[in-house]
Each structure stands twice: as structure tokens, then as C-alpha cells.
Amino acid sequence: MNNRTFLCLYIYSFLSLIYYSVTGAPQHDYYDEELLLKPLPSGHVYAYFQFTTLWDVQFEASSFQHCHLFPRALGEIISRYNVQELHISLTEGLWRHETWGYPVHDAAPGAELWTWFKEGTENIDKKWKELTGALSGLLCVSLNFIDTSNSLNPEFTFQPTGVVSSTSVNSSYLRYATLPREIVCTENLTPWKKLLPCDAKKGLSTLLNAGYIHNTNYHSLGLHMRPVCRNTNCSQMSMELRQTVSLVYDMVILGTGNQDWSIKKLFGIGLSGACPLATMSNVYIDTTLNETGASFQLNPIPPAVITSIRGGYESKFAVYDIKALDIEGMFNIAAFYSSPRVYGVNLPPVLHANRYIVVLKRYIPGKARTRPYYLEVVLRLPPRSMTEISIDFDYVFLKWQEYPPDANHGFYIGAAVITAMLPVGRNYTGLPQDGSTITSSFNASRDGYLVQLRTETLIITLPTPDFSMPYNVICLACTVVALAFGPLHNITTKRLRLKDNEGQNHLLSWLKAKLKRSAEAKEKQS
């Protein structure tokens, strides 16, 4: 045996020892995967996935250096920025509370992020900015656009959902922000699934097919981390990570022709089994609507049925334990309705809210010296009401050639135009749309009467420059230039030279010679 062979065997034995010391040690972490399918009275089907990782570990930065089921990429971010509690949601669409009831996890459209930092964390705004940048790279989402300009720390709304070390909660350690324009796509789903212990290769996560998820009426991805109590007296804490997916399917849009649905129709694939790392893998079917008329039968027959009484309301759930089932090939759960197009009784929830600006709106921002601001809205006004629309704007300073002849008079804003369809013709003198003369307006009853109103024009008085100052400045500048031009020109262009003595003597010799010749010429003439 040569030295190279001995070295290879030694390295292999050393690596095996490391592998055994890491994998052979008991891991105090648990992973559960669950799926809730709930037919809604409106004919939609609500699918809610929840993947929960519970880790019995001290909430310290060094704990995230060795992870088993908990995603290390997320753990390093949590430890680096002193995060106590983290909640992220990426949502496309709006949850209709009035017709769908309440979801398991509610989320705002777009991207929503709120975080509690640990007590004693310094420079929260800097940590918040760095945290959003790290999460942006982790989930491939534009959270890097979050900064102090669009963040806040609510005092009452977002209380900690996990364990807190003190009885009083300091909201200065909380940061909340939303990006309503954020679009949820496959680029967000792929890194989100990589945080799961089994990725998307085994278990309920294999149903998360991007082609079927993004065609739903509503879909939302969630990531929620918080500290929880490990025992009854809460002497020790554990870490809980919940990854959630909420989907709402419209069976009419899916083109099935009836209300029947199944796992294969909803997700395009059946179940091949549970995740090997999962302690629990269950599928729940809400069968409460079977008692209100929209009855359906499940195939295969559920092994167990649970009756839940909560808040005076009774619900029934069919339970399928995926780990206990002997699955060969693909496992599918289907619901067959006895009567086509029969919906259940819709009982709206006690509390629901809607917020809207108009029925219709069009807005084109202005461009300096190119186009004005344009705003057009459609409103439905209740009787005996007053509606106020206010717009805040800043008037930029003009160039000196752009001021009107009488700038001190003010600047005009054109009249607003209001167009309405009146239900009655009282005090109405306008011509009908299908008429051309005043005569055509007589006895011209119509379903509605179009009227247009113009408001007053506005004059805005703004500070204007003193137009006498340019004249004074021009006169002063011209005078200074005229007086200074001559001396400066002479100094910068002329050169001073000493006189040449040889040249002077040569000139004197030439003059003497010339005078001598003149004298000799006069003598000859005489």
C-alpha cells in the first residue's frame, strides 16, 4: 500500500466520521405537510397548503450554523439581522371575503412584509434595509425597493404572534411595508419551494405546478417565522416556520362543464406519496356544504371524518392520511356532485370590508412644457351628498421668457368638466342627443338626460421675480465690460520691448549720408 492509497483511506475515514457525527446525532426538528380543500358556496374551490417546520433550538445566531430541516439560507438571514419574527406574503388577486368567507391566512395584494427585530437591536432602519435586500435575493422578489420612505412601524395593528421576552411591546422594533404593484410569478415560486425539506420532488409540494397555480383567481405565497413555546410553562422556546400557499379555483373557468373537481384537475397531477422527512402528511376535505344542498361524494371514501365545533359553528372534514395509505402510482381524490350547478347557501361573514376609489379612473401625469396633468374619474354619488376631490401639486418655476405679460396677475387653471346622467328632467333645458332643434326638446322624455357642468377657473398667485433686476444687471454688466475691455485688451495683447542701439546708429548714419548727398547735389547745381 503506497502513501497515496493510505492518504485516500484516511480522508475517506475522516469524512465518514464527520458525516456520522452530523447525521447520527439526534435532530430535534419536525416537519409536517397539510392540504385543505374547501368547496365555497360561490362554486369556487379553495386550496390551502401549509408546510410547518418546528425546531427545538435556542434562538441564537450560532444555532443556524448547522441546520437539518430548517432552511439554512433563511436561517443565516434571520441570525445576521437579529430578526425575532418574520412574515412575508406574495399575492396575486384579491380575496373576496363577502362571498368566500375568511381565508386561513389573509394577505394584501402584491408583496407584504413585516418584521419584529430583537430587543436591543441598534440602527433598525439600516437593518431593515439590509434585510429587505437579502430577502429580495432569496425569494427573487423586488423587496429591495423597500426603504424608510415606504415603511412604517404601526403601534396597534401588527402585534407579535410568537413568544416575546417582555410584557410590554416596543413598536420601534417593528417595520411594515407593502409593494402593491409586485407581480407574483414562477420566479418567486421556484426559490420558495427550495426552502422545503423535500423541495418539490416528494410529498404535497409536488402538486405546486406553476402552470396551474398562476391560472387561478387568487394565489398567495406565504413565509411566516416566529418563536413558540416548547413546553406548557414556556420555559424554553422553539422556532416555527410555516410556508403557506392559498389558491382559489373557478371551476367554470377551468372548463370542466360541471362542479366536479379532483386533485388531478386542480393541480394537473396526482399524489405519489408523502415526503419521507414529514412527520405528518394529511389532506383535509371540508364537507360542510353537503348539508346545505350542494352535496358531493368523495372517491375514494375518506378513512376518517372529523366534526369541528368552533364558535358555535359546526364543520365536518374528511381526512386522508397520506403516510398511512398504500399508494401505488398516483393517488387522486375526486368530488362528484349529485346535481349540476347547484350552489350552497352563501352566508356572508360577520365582518367584511371593501375599499375603492371610483368605478373608473384615468390619469395621465403631466410633463413640463409638453403636456398638462389629466385626471378623469367616474363616481356613483348617493343622494343628498357632497363629494370633494382634492389634488396636491407643486408649481415649478418658469423660465424668464415664459412668464406672461402681467405675471403678478396670477396663473390660471382651467375649469373642471362634470358630466352626469340625470334620472329626471327637472330644470333641464338641453337638447336631446337625437335632436337638433329646440322644438325637438319639447315632450322629449328619455331614460336619462345628459348634462355637463363647468366649474370656476382658478387663479393661483405665486411669487414672481422682479423683472427690473435683469435690466439693472444688464446695464451694470455692459458698463463694467466696456470700461474694462480697453485696458484688459491692451494688457493682454501688446508687448513691451527695449529699443535697439545698433538700429538707431544705422538710422543716423543713413540720414547723414542722405544729407551729404543732398548737399553735394546743390553744389553741382550752383
Side-chain angles (χ1 to χ4, degrees):
M1 181 181 295
N2 53 20
N3 294 333
R4 181 177 298 179
T5 306
F6 177 77
L7 179 62
C8 293
L9 291 175
Y10 177 76
I11 293 175
Y12 176 77
S13 301
F14 180 72
L15 292 177
S16 301
L17 179 62
I18 295 177
Y19 177 80
Y20 177 78
S21 63
V22 173
T23 59
Q27 301 292 335
H28 301 284
D29 50 359
Y30 315 94
Y31 171 68
D32 298 326
E33 54 180 8
E34 298 169 291
L35 169 60
L36 170 64
L37 296 174
K38 180 179 180 180
L40 302 176
S42 59
H44 298 78
V45 177
Y46 172 42
Y48 173 75
F49 291 84
Q50 178 168 304
F51 306 92
T52 306
T53 302
L54 189 63
W55 190 9
D56 295 340
V57 67
Q58 295 296 328
F59 206 162
E60 299 176 354
S62 58
S63 302
F64 297 96
Q65 296 178 1
H66 303 284
C67 300
H68 181 224
L69 298 179
F70 194 92
R72 181 174 179 177
L74 180 62
E76 291 179 350
I77 295 176
I78 293 172
S79 61
R80 181 179 180 85
Y81 301 109
N82 292 337
V83 176
Q84 177 75 14
E85 192 170 315
L86 177 66
H87 301 271
I88 306 174
S89 64
L90 306 175
T91 306
E92 186 70 21
L94 178 65
W95 182 272
R96 310 292 178 178
H97 296 84
E98 189 172 359
T99 56
W100 298 344
Y102 300 121
V104 180
H105 276 289
D106 198 32
E112 185 179 33
L113 170 64
W114 58 283
T115 303
W116 280 94
F117 293 91
K118 292 183 179 180
E119 293 185 1
T121 303
E122 299 179 355
N123 202 344
I124 298 295
D125 292 333
K126 181 181 178 182
K127 293 287 186 182
W128 172 246
K129 180 60 179 177
E130 294 175 352
L131 173 64
T132 56
L135 293 175
S136 176
L138 179 67
L139 298 176
C140 196
V141 62
S142 303
L143 297 177
N144 56 305
F145 288 100
I146 296 177
D147 52 20
T148 56
S149 63
N150 55 6
S151 303
L152 47 90
N153 51 329
E155 187 174 356
F156 305 108
T157 305
F158 297 96
Q159 296 295 318
T161 61
V163 180
V164 293
S165 57
S166 59
T167 56
S168 61
V169 178
N170 188 356
S171 62
S172 63
Y173 295 106
L174 169 67
R175 290 297 182 271
Y176 172 83
T178 60
L179 297 175
R181 297 185 59 183
E182 184 67 21
I183 304 300
V184 186
C185 59
T186 309
E187 295 178 355
N188 309 124
L189 179 63
T190 301
W192 183 92
K193 290 192 294 186
K194 290 183 178 180
L195 300 178
L196 296 172
C198 288
D199 199 344
K201 301 178 175 61
K202 200 70 175 177
L204 298 181
S205 59
T206 58
L207 301 179
L208 299 177
N209 189 348
Y212 287 80
I213 287 180
H214 298 293
N215 290 332
T216 55
N217 290 27
Y218 173 90
H219 60 273
S220 176
L221 302 177
L223 191 67
H224 308 276
M225 190 281 299
R226 62 171 184 168
V228 296
C229 294
R230 189 181 304 180
N231 45 30
T232 56
N233 57 2
C234 204
S235 60
Q236 291 181 328
M237 291 189 301
S238 299
M239 188 176 305
E240 179 190 82
L241 174 63
R242 283 185 291 177
Q243 295 181 240
T244 63
V245 180
S246 297
L247 307 171
V248 176
Y249 292 86
D250 189 349
M251 304 311 298
V252 177
I253 295 180
L254 289 180
T256 58
N258 51 39
Q259 290 181 269
D260 298 344
W261 53 267
S262 65
I263 288 182
K264 189 173 183 180
K265 286 183 180 180
L266 297 179
F267 307 107
I269 191 175
L271 269 175
S272 59
C275 173
L277 300 176
T279 306
M280 178 179 61
S281 179
N282 289 347
V283 177
Y284 308 98
I285 311 294
D286 192 337
T287 60
T288 309
L289 288 181
N290 278 339
E291 301 178 0
T292 61
S295 60
F296 58 89
Q297 299 294 330
L298 293 176
N299 185 23
I301 299 175
V305 177
I306 297 177
T307 301
S308 172
I309 300 177
R310 190 178 187 182
Y313 184 75
E314 182 178 303
S315 302
K316 290 186 178 181
F317 298 92
V319 182
Y320 294 86
D321 188 353
I322 304 301
K323 293 182 69 68
L325 296 176
D326 186 12
I327 298 177
E328 295 181 1
M330 290 295 178
F331 177 71
N332 186 31
I333 302 175
F336 301 97
Y337 286 80
S338 57
S339 301
R341 301 297 177 191
V342 176
Y343 302 118
V345 178
N346 184 21
L347 298 176
V350 178
L351 178 65
H352 60 86
N354 294 305
R355 186 179 72 168
Y356 55 90
I357 299 177
V358 295
V359 180
L360 183 64
K361 178 185 71 173
R362 187 181 182 190
Y363 172 70
I364 300 177
K367 189 175 182 180
R369 301 176 181 87
T370 303
R371 63 170 182 258
Y373 282 84
Y374 167 80
L375 175 63
E376 189 177 21
V377 296
V378 177
L379 301 173
R380 184 180 297 274
L381 304 180
R384 298 182 180 180
S385 64
M386 178 181 295
T387 301
E388 179 180 353
I389 300 176
S390 61
I391 302 174
D392 296 331
F393 64 93
D394 294 328
Y395 201 96
V396 297
F397 287 101
L398 301 177
K399 298 180 180 179
W400 67 276
Q401 306 98 328
E402 296 177 343
Y403 282 92
D406 189 6
N408 292 317
H409 180 70
F411 299 87
Y412 282 86
I413 295 181
V417 181
I418 301 175
T419 304
M421 186 67 70
L422 302 179
V424 296
R426 185 174 57 186
N427 299 331
Y428 183 79
T429 57
L431 301 180
Q433 290 183 303
D434 54 356
S436 302
T437 62
I438 297 178
T439 306
S440 62
S441 64
F442 301 151
N443 300 318
S445 297
R446 300 292 188 271
D447 295 333
Y449 303 91
L450 184 66
V451 63
Q452 281 190 340
L453 306 178
R454 266 75 174 178
T455 64
E456 304 89 341
T457 57
L458 296 180
I459 300 179
I460 300 178
T461 56
L462 296 176
T464 55
D466 185 2
F467 289 100
S468 65
M469 291 302 298
Y471 174 78
N472 299 333
V473 172
I474 291 174
C475 292
L476 179 61
C478 292
T479 303
V480 172
V481 170
L483 294 177
F485 178 78
L488 290 175
H489 183 269
N490 291 334
I491 293 174
T492 56
T493 57
K494 290 185 178 181
R495 292 186 299 173
L496 297 177
R497 295 182 56 186
L498 295 175
K499 293 183 179 180
D500 190 1
N501 293 331
E502 293 181 1
Q504 186 177 7
N505 295 332
H506 180 73
L507 180 61
L508 292 175
S509 300
W510 180 77
L511 290 175
K512 291 179 180 180
K514 187 175 182 180
L515 293 174
K516 185 178 180 179
R517 285 194 300 270
S518 299
E520 292 176 353
K522 288 181 180 180
E523 290 178 357
K524 290 181 181 181
Q525 291 178 357
S526 61

